[in-house]
Amino acid sequence: MSERRTILLVDDLRSFVDGRRAAIARTSAAGAELLERHRDGHIDELWLDHDMGGDDTVWPVVEILERAAFENHPFDIGVVHVHSSNPGGAAKIAQVLRRWGYRVCIASGSTELGYLDTP
C-alpha cells in the first residue's frame, strides 16, 4: 500500500530524476500560487531553488512562508530542501526559514534532481 505524498518543487530547470510525482512551479509567481493552493494541507517536501532565471528568485515564496510563521500560522511542511547552486542564496534561505521554525536541509548538488532536456 503506497501512501500519497505531497511534494512541491520550485525550480526553473530541474526535475526529479526518478520521476517521482511532484507539483512543479517554474517561476516564483507560479511557486507562490502553488504554495497557496496547499495552504491548509500537509506538504511532505518542499524543494526550493534560489535562482529562477533572469532576475527572478524564489524569495517571493520564502516571504510567504515567513509571513505565515510571523502570523502564527506556519505552513505544515515536513522538510524544506534548498537545492540551489547558489551557496550564498541557499544559506540565506535556510537561515530565514530556520529562524521561523521550518525544518530545512541544504541539498545543493543533490543527485535527486537533474536538468531537463528542454525547458
Side-chain angles (χ1 to χ4, degrees), residues 4-92:
R4 172 112 183 196
R5 297 174 45 82
T6 300
I7 302 171
L8 309 183
L9 172 64
V10 183
D11 189 304
D12 59 328
L13 295 173
R14 288 172 278 210
S15 292
F16 291 106
V17 296
D18 63 4
R20 77 184 72 170
R21 182 180 293 243
I24 300 173
R26 298 292 182 199
T27 66
S28 63
E33 291 173 15
L34 181 63
L35 192 59
E36 291 293 353
R37 282 198 306 267
H38 290 85
R39 179 66 187 104
D40 296 320
H42 175 72
I43 300 167
D44 294 289
E45 300 175 24
L46 173 61
W47 291 73
L48 300 176
D49 182 20
H50 182 275
D51 301 307
M52 301 295 294
D55 293 334
D56 193 15
T57 69
V58 79
W59 281 103
V61 174
V62 173
E63 289 167 358
I64 290 169
L65 295 167
E66 187 176 22
R67 183 176 54 248
F70 175 78
E71 294 171 351
N72 293 317
H73 189 54
F75 281 76
D76 179 12
I77 302 173
V79 63
V80 178
H81 297 275
V82 182
H83 63 274
S84 179
S85 297
N86 176 334
K92 184 67 175 168

